[in-house]
Amino acid sequence: MPQLTIDITDELDARLREQARTLGEEVGALAAELIHDRMEELETTASIQRGLADAAAGRTRPARAVLEKLASELGLDLASSPA
């Protein structure tokens, strides 16, 4: 597994160690989990921003057209689905 060394403040170190102790986790494992979670948040935010930019630029399709395409690909009949 790759290793990463970072410099953190004494305050952040103390907070991380206290949280790890509270949760019963290893400090390194908790730090890796927090980095992973933050990366997921950043990627999700970037995806949302791209979607909003697409919508603002008019790069959208009507929901009905998307549903009809999905239904066709899945072999479903939208006419027989409840409204």
Side-chain angles (χ1 to χ4, degrees):
M1 178 180 299
Q3 292 187 340
L4 173 68
T5 301
I6 60 171
D7 294 322
I8 59 174
T9 64
D10 290 340
E11 177 190 355
L12 183 55
D13 180 63
R15 290 172 59 196
L16 182 61
R17 289 179 186 285
E18 176 62 21
Q19 190 69 6
R21 185 191 63 75
T22 299
L23 296 172
E25 294 188 31
E26 293 292 325
V27 173
L30 177 59
E33 181 181 334
L34 291 170
I35 291 169
H36 177 268
D37 289 351
R38 182 63 177 138
M39 290 299 299
E40 292 285 324
E41 289 174 8
L42 291 171
E43 290 165 357
T44 298
T45 299
S47 179
I48 291 169
Q49 289 172 337
R50 283 190 305 274
L52 291 172
D54 283 344
R59 293 185 297 265
T60 62
R61 294 190 298 166
R64 185 71 185 175
V66 173
L67 290 174
E68 287 172 351
K69 183 175 188 259
L70 285 172
S72 174
E73 290 173 3
L74 297 171
L76 302 173
D77 180 13
L78 287 181
S80 64
S81 300

